[in-house]
Amino acid sequence: MTGTPFSVTTRTTGAGSVVTVAGELDVATAPRLRAGVEGLTLGAGQVLVLDLGGVTFCDSSGISALIAAHNVAEAAGAGVALAAVPDRLGRTFGLIGLGDFFPTYPNAEDALRD
């Protein structure tokens, strides 16, 4: 299967970190997301924003990596938010009971402002 190459990029702001994920988030790539998030320095009161606008596919391993990111942020006393969640992934969250687990925003800037 060909498509968008998987990537995880991070930028740090005064409000926290934005992790932008692109491509297929699956069993082969989820460990890269986990490693990227675990390497972040988050402070109490900051927010970890996971920008998913470029995600073309997400399996259960990817969802597990997102939950792990939530746990990393929570352990640091930081919040977590999802930005630009693709419709298909948003529906999946609703179906598996995670619809209200992550605050979601149309883009990373809105998530950082809130």
Side-chain angles (χ1 to χ4, degrees):
M1 184 182 286
T2 60
T4 304
F6 183 78
S7 66
V8 175
T9 56
T10 303
R11 66 181 167 97
T12 303
T13 73
S17 295
V18 177
V19 177
T20 301
V21 184
E24 295 184 1
L25 182 55
D26 58 20
V27 69
T29 59
R32 289 174 52 194
L33 174 58
R34 284 179 184 255
V37 169
E38 289 169 0
L40 295 175
T41 302
L42 294 167
Q46 289 190 314
V47 64
L48 168 61
V49 178
L50 299 165
D51 185 335
L52 305 179
V55 172
T56 57
F57 173 81
C58 183
D59 71 4
S60 60
S61 298
I63 291 170
S64 178
L66 296 174
I67 293 169
H70 176 278
N71 295 341
V72 167
E74 190 173 75
V80 66
L82 302 182
V85 178
D87 290 340
R88 181 178 295 158
L89 185 53
R91 285 192 303 275
T92 300
F93 284 160
L95 289 171
I96 63 174
L98 291 177
D100 295 326
F101 186 71
F102 294 102
T104 58
Y105 297 85
N107 56 59
E109 288 68 33
D110 286 350
L112 288 168
R113 267 194 297 273
D114 194 26

